């Protein structure tokens, strides 16, 4: 007979781990399975290692900004091999630590490819397990690129494992991955190019601030080409030749490395969801507002594998995992609250937002007050030599509440959290401005931005 559980979690990233621990703590018999090392994309192949690499880029950029202001950066450079070892000092220990923590919480840890046999049975590398409930938290994977020579393109995971950084790097797509990695590569001495097939890169962010970021990136050596559609990648003696179409004109670039940054899709193709009667779309497992499958009452989904209104962010995956676990345990229908969740592109400087875009707010009929500030000359930025910084705060005049905020500047990924909290708690701008911040700190700029 198949081994029986109360819950099997598929995916040992942050969403799955948080849910597994929560249910095990209430006495449920819980198992978790993943074909990859435990820890998920964020800790092993995304957010955390990326930001460790960014630290090296920050130091280089900070020194350059202070050129002629008391700092001589001559000879300062990134040792890519050593920086990678620093990254591995964090990532290498994650899987074992994660697995030990789960086992200590009473969760059975399994390894292998999981495939549904039917509504209540799961095959894991030839061994069948049975469960009353399942949580699908398998995350996302790079969107397939159907272009000749796609086998020459590496993904973000491979980029984060490069032993050396080539001189000429091309990034396909104008999203998070391309911009963040290109900004790191430029400060590490490479010549990065981003090819975006649209007119507007980073579409989820304020277009005015995106343009400022592109200008700032160009100063650092990041080239962005728009309306460029990849048509082929060819291997040549010097590396790779990338062919692309720009407004009907054929062009090509010779580079040493081609990196996939053209978006991600839910990692659900191998689960055989149809065998279990689990509805899904290209956006993920179809779930109600409370994260329960629309077609299978014993299945929930969270994080990037679920078709929810939540942004594809680790903190969102974590709280969706916790909400799903709570609904499983209590039989409730609580829906996650996505209000006030910020998202940040960790370029240099960083670009961040929370709430609506300006056009979304105008389209909604809000009596909108747009408060735009060029903060490039403010003390907090003058102090470090940065001249590119701006804020656009969107206010509902009638309620005196923030409905959206868009910031570009050093440490603004931290500053946005105050605004996100204010939105979540329903604070007015008057209440938020009443905060007395530590001075001189970046947070002390918030009152002036409002």
């Amino acid at each position: 007979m198949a081994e029986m559980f109360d819950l099997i979690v598929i995916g040992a990233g942050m969403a799955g781990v948080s849910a597994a621990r929560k249910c095990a703590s209430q006495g449920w018999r819980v198992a978790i399975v993943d074909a990859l090392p435990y820890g998920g994309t964020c800790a092993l192949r995304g957010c955390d290692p990326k930001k460790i690499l960014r630290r090296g880029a920050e130091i280089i950029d900070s020194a350059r900004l202070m050129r002629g202001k008391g700092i001589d950066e001559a000879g300062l450079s990134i040792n890519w091999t050593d920086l990678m070892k620093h990254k591995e000092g964090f990532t290498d220990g994650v899987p074992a630590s994660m697995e030990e923590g789960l086992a200590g919480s009473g969760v059975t840890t399994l390894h292998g490819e999981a495939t549904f046999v039917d509504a209540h049975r799961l095959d894991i590398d030839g061994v069948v397990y049975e469960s009353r409930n399942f949580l699908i938290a398998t995350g996302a994977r790079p969107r397939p690129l159907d272009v000749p020579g796609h086998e020459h393109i590496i993904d973000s995971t491979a980029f984060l494992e490069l032993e050396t950084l080539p001189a000429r790097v091309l990034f396909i797509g104008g999203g998070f991955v391309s911009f963040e990695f290109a900004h790191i590569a430029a400060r590490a001495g490479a010549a990065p190019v981003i090819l975006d097939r649209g007119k507007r890169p980073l579409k989820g962010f304020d277009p005015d601030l995106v343009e400022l970021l592109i200008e700032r990136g160009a100063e650092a050596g990041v080239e962005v080409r728009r309306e460029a559609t990849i048509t082929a990648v060819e291997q040549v003696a010097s590396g790779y030749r990338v062919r692309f179409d720009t407004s009907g004109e054929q062009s090509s670039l010779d580079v040493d490395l081609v990196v996939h940054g053209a978006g991600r899709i839910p990692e659900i193709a191998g689960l055989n969801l149809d065998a279990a009667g689990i509805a899904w779309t290209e956006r993920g497992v179809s779930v109600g507002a409370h994260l329960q499958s629309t077609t299978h009452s014993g299945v929930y989904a969270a994080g990037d594998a679920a078709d929810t209104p939540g942004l594809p962010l680790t903190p969102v995956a974590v709280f969706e995992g916790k909400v799903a676990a709570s609904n499983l345990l209590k039989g409730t229908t609580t829906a996650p609250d996505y209000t006030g969740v910020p998202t940040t592109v960790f370029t240099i400087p960083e670009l961040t937002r929370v709430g609506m875009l300006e056009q979304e707010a105008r389209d909604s009929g809000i009596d909108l007050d747009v408060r735009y500030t060029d903060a490039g000359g403010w003390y907090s930025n003058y102090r470090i030599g940065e001249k590119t910084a701006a804020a656009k705060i969107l206010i509902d005049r009638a309620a005196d509440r923030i409905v959206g905020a868009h910031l570009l500047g050093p440490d603004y990924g931290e500053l946005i959290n105050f605004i996100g909290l204010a939105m979540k708690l329903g604070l007015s701008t008057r209440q938020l401005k009443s905060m007395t911040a530590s001075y001189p700190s970046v947070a002390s700029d918030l009152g002036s931005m409002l």
Side-chain angles (χ1 to χ4, degrees):
M1 290 182 63
E3 193 168 357
M4 183 71 176
F5 291 92
D6 296 308
L7 171 67
I8 295 180
V9 177
I10 309 171
M14 300 312 297
V17 167
S18 62
R21 284 178 169 164
K22 187 176 181 70
C23 289
S25 72
Q26 299 303 305
W28 276 29
R29 188 156 191 245
V30 179
I32 189 168
V33 59
D34 206 313
L36 295 172
Y38 281 29
T41 297
C42 181
L44 298 177
R45 304 176 292 277
C47 327
D48 293 342
K50 167 203 71 186
K51 208 171 180 194
I52 290 175
L53 298 186
R54 182 184 187 258
R55 179 56 182 157
E58 289 170 349
I59 291 171
I60 297 296
D61 197 75
S62 296
R64 289 176 181 172
L65 290 176
M66 292 298 290
R67 181 186 299 152
K69 301 177 179 67
I71 300 297
D72 180 2
E73 88 281 17
L76 185 65
S77 64
I78 288 177
N79 182 314
W80 186 264
T81 302
D82 286 351
L83 185 59
M84 275 291 178
K85 288 178 181 176
H86 179 50
K87 179 217 68 168
E88 290 159 3
F90 171 80
T91 57
D92 284 357
V94 169
S97 175
M98 191 78 73
E99 192 161 355
E100 288 169 9
L102 285 161
S105 299
V107 178
T108 299
T109 57
L110 304 171
H111 297 269
E113 297 285 350
T115 305
F116 279 97
V117 176
D118 55 35
H120 290 285
R121 291 188 301 160
L122 198 67
D123 180 291
I124 301 174
D125 283 358
V127 179
V128 175
Y129 298 84
E130 191 169 353
S131 182
R132 294 190 300 112
N133 303 286
F134 298 91
L135 174 66
I136 299 171
T138 45
R141 62 185 175 90
R143 182 182 302 280
L145 294 177
D146 185 19
V147 297
H150 62 83
E151 66 273 12
H152 302 308
I153 303 170
I154 71 165
D155 61 15
S156 56
T157 298
F159 183 88
L160 288 168
E161 295 172 350
L162 289 173
E163 294 183 1
T164 58
L165 180 67
R168 303 169 300 171
V169 186
L170 184 141
F171 295 91
I172 301 173
F176 282 77
V177 169
S178 293
F179 270 82
E180 290 176 339
F181 286 177
H183 272 247
I184 292 169
R187 274 72 177 198
V193 178
I194 297 172
L195 295 187
D196 185 27
R197 67 179 180 179
K199 292 182 179 180
R200 268 187 55 199
L202 297 170
K203 295 181 182 64
F205 292 82
D206 181 81
D208 297 328
L209 299 192
V210 169
E211 293 305 321
L212 288 177
L213 174 62
I214 290 172
E215 291 175 14
R216 174 67 167 85
E219 294 172 3
V222 178
E223 180 182 355
V224 178
R225 298 197 184 191
R226 312 182 202 214
E227 298 183 85
T229 301
I230 302 289
T231 56
V233 179
E234 303 167 0
Q235 193 163 19
V236 295
S238 62
Y240 301 100
R241 180 163 295 147
V242 179
R243 299 190 183 278
F244 56 96
D245 182 291
T246 305
S247 301
E249 293 186 9
Q250 290 295 318
S251 303
S252 67
L253 283 173
D254 285 1
V255 298
D256 304 306
L257 186 70
V258 186
V259 184
H260 185 319
R264 296 168 69 82
I265 60 173
E267 180 65 287
I268 57 175
L271 293 176
N272 195 23
L273 298 176
D274 294 340
I278 302 168
W280 58 278
T281 70
E282 63 178 13
R283 291 176 51 85
V285 177
S286 301
V287 295
H290 58 294
L291 307 176
Q292 186 180 37
S293 164
T294 57
T295 57
H296 187 321
S297 61
V299 171
Y300 285 69
D304 293 358
D307 183 0
T308 75
L311 294 169
L313 304 169
T314 298
V316 171
V318 170
F319 72 63
E320 284 185 348
K322 290 178 178 178
V323 168
S326 181
N327 286 335
L328 277 161
L329 289 165
K330 300 174 183 178
T332 49
T333 56
T334 301
D337 179 7
Y338 300 105
T339 306
V341 177
T343 179
T344 303
V345 188
F346 283 102
T347 45
I348 302 173
E350 55 221 49
L351 175 65
T352 186
R353 72 167 279 193
V354 63
M356 294 181 177
L357 291 167
E358 181 179 350
Q359 193 58 52
E360 291 173 341
R362 293 190 187 283
D363 291 345
S364 71
I366 292 172
D367 182 13
L368 192 64
D369 181 10
V370 179
R371 300 178 185 176
Y372 180 86
T373 307
D374 181 345
W378 287 13
Y379 168 79
S380 56
N381 294 310
Y382 174 84
R383 181 184 70 84
I384 62 174
E386 180 60 78
K387 296 180 180 179
T388 300
K392 182 184 286 188
I393 314 292
L394 312 179
I395 312 293
D396 180 343
R397 283 193 179 93
D400 187 36
R401 287 190 171 86
I402 299 170
V403 296
H406 306 271
L407 311 177
L408 171 67
D411 293 325
Y412 284 7
E414 298 290 344
L415 185 59
I416 200 79
N417 292 324
F418 287 94
I419 300 175
L421 181 61
M423 291 176 66
K424 193 172 187 69
L425 298 179
L427 301 181
S428 66
T429 64
R430 184 183 297 273
Q431 288 173 313
L432 188 53
K433 285 191 289 186
S434 72
M435 176 184 74
T436 302
S438 168
Y439 185 86
S441 67
V442 174
S444 67
D445 288 345
L446 183 55
S448 298
M449 291 176 177
L450 292 168

